[in-house]
Amino acid sequence: MIIRETCVAIWDALHAAVMAQPHKEQWKEIADVFQQTCQFPNCAGAIDGKHIRIKKPVRSGSQYYNYKKYFSFVLFAMCDANYSFRYIDVGSYGSRSDSAVFAHSDFGKMLQDKALDLPEHTALPGTTSPAMPFVFVGDEAFALGENLMRPYSSRGLSLARRVFNYRLTRARRVVECAFGILANKWRFLHTPIHLKLETAISAVKAACVLHNFVRARDGYNFEDSLTHSLHSHRPSVVRGHRQGAAVREQFTAYFMSPHGALPWQLDAI
């Protein structure tokens, strides 16, 4: 009971201060850092989901039993290029896919409903047209959309599409690093959590806001982000739509243009 009350108090005290929803100007600041550090313009965040190991919840059946053959719930997160979590959703069934967790999350619903207060479409650096939307980057588990970029399928990739996948991966890896920093700082995440489900969820939420608090105060050790015990979801087959495909093609063309190409990108792929 003390653990649960403490974790709830930490979340209540810190959430609004260190994980408030960004407004339009803050989204632009986040995108500027992504451009400076990852060279992916108009990027408002990186998203991913991780399994948090738990003991089998009472009377839960197989809902929390994941494809890796253990019980878990999902930590879905969106983070900025400074490895800080800007949104989290904690507690979805471990048997759910990333795309399902995302679709049912408040963040996914706000993105779908255009309620995130993202900035107006802006031309990519060095160009005057077309005006491009601000996007979030994720792996192949997420559906392609106007504001959500995922990699191309690995089959028969052209040079330009391989470059796009490389550039997207450079931006997306920040959420992987954030999970690594989180797990290596709060080491209870390295082993199954032997608490009641509600308390385990509260503990993970408390760790995430403490991660942001400590990140802002002390910085981080990059080596802490390189290994962790949080497992990704198995990719599921999800379809995008034409508008998202058109946006991805525009990014692909930009990354091969004189304005958007990186000197080392062809060597890196």
Side-chain angles (χ1 to χ4, degrees):
M1 183 63 72
I2 291 173
I3 293 173
R4 184 177 181 184
E5 289 180 355
T6 302
C7 290
V8 169
I10 290 171
W11 171 262
D12 290 343
L14 291 181
H15 176 243
V18 302
M19 204 183 290
Q21 180 180 328
H23 54 68
K24 190 168 297 184
E25 291 304 316
Q26 289 175 322
W27 286 123
K28 290 180 181 179
E29 293 172 3
I30 292 171
D32 288 343
V33 179
F34 267 104
Q35 170 63 11
Q36 293 165 13
T37 60
C38 305
Q39 290 77 51
F40 200 108
N42 287 30
C43 181
I47 62 174
D48 199 6
K50 293 295 180 184
H51 290 288
I52 305 297
R53 285 177 176 263
I54 55 172
K55 67 178 183 179
K56 183 182 184 298
V58 177
R59 294 186 293 275
S60 64
S62 60
Q63 292 175 318
Y64 290 94
Y65 195 64
N66 65 47
Y67 77 101
K68 287 184 174 289
K69 313 298 184 185
Y70 61 81
F71 291 95
S72 66
F73 59 76
V74 178
L75 164 59
F76 168 80
M78 185 275 288
C79 79
D80 60 28
N82 289 320
Y83 310 103
S84 293
F85 297 115
R86 293 305 186 116
Y87 173 85
I88 60 171
D89 181 274
V90 187
S92 293
Y93 300 136
S95 58
R96 277 186 170 180
S97 67
D98 271 352
S99 57
V101 173
F102 172 74
H104 289 87
S105 69
D106 290 339
F107 179 81
K109 293 174 182 177
M110 287 190 291
L111 182 62
Q112 178 69 29
D113 296 338
K114 308 291 186 185
L116 284 176
D117 195 29
L118 292 173
E120 294 79 11
H121 290 20
T122 303
L124 301 179
T127 68
T128 56
S129 64
M132 296 286 285
F134 283 75
V135 300
F136 299 91
V137 294
D139 61 20
E140 62 274 11
F142 298 96
L144 183 67
E146 180 186 12
N147 300 107
L148 181 54
M149 294 290 100
R150 56 170 282 176
Y152 289 100
S153 171
S154 58
R155 296 181 180 179
L157 287 176
S158 65
L159 178 63
R161 291 187 173 190
R162 287 166 59 200
V163 168
F164 174 86
N165 283 1
Y166 165 69
R167 297 287 291 271
L168 182 141
T169 299
R170 293 185 76 248
R172 190 187 64 80
R173 70 182 180 183
V174 301
V175 68
E176 293 280 351
C177 290
F179 283 133
I181 297 167
L182 175 74
N184 287 317
K185 187 72 172 179
W186 315 106
R187 302 189 71 83
F188 76 98
L189 295 170
H190 280 294
T191 58
I193 303 176
H194 292 279
L195 296 169
K196 291 182 179 179
L197 179 62
E198 295 80 6
T199 307
I201 290 172
S202 294
V204 172
K205 292 169 65 176
C208 288
V209 291
L210 285 171
H211 164 91
N212 281 10
F213 179 81
V214 173
R215 172 74 187 89
R217 189 191 66 181
D218 297 341
Y220 68 99
N221 179 358
F222 183 76
E223 291 182 357
D224 284 343
S225 72
L226 300 181
T227 59
H228 60 78
S229 58
L230 306 183
H231 294 130
S232 298
H233 274 167
R234 179 171 53 186
S236 56
V237 178
V238 288
R239 294 183 178 181
H241 55 72
R242 292 181 181 178
Q243 198 167 12
V247 172
R248 185 167 64 176
E249 289 295 335
Q250 291 287 351
F251 274 111
T252 302
Y254 176 76
F255 292 150
M256 295 298 289
S257 72
H259 296 296
L262 299 176
W264 66 85
Q265 65 186 23
L266 297 182
D267 295 330
I269 62 173

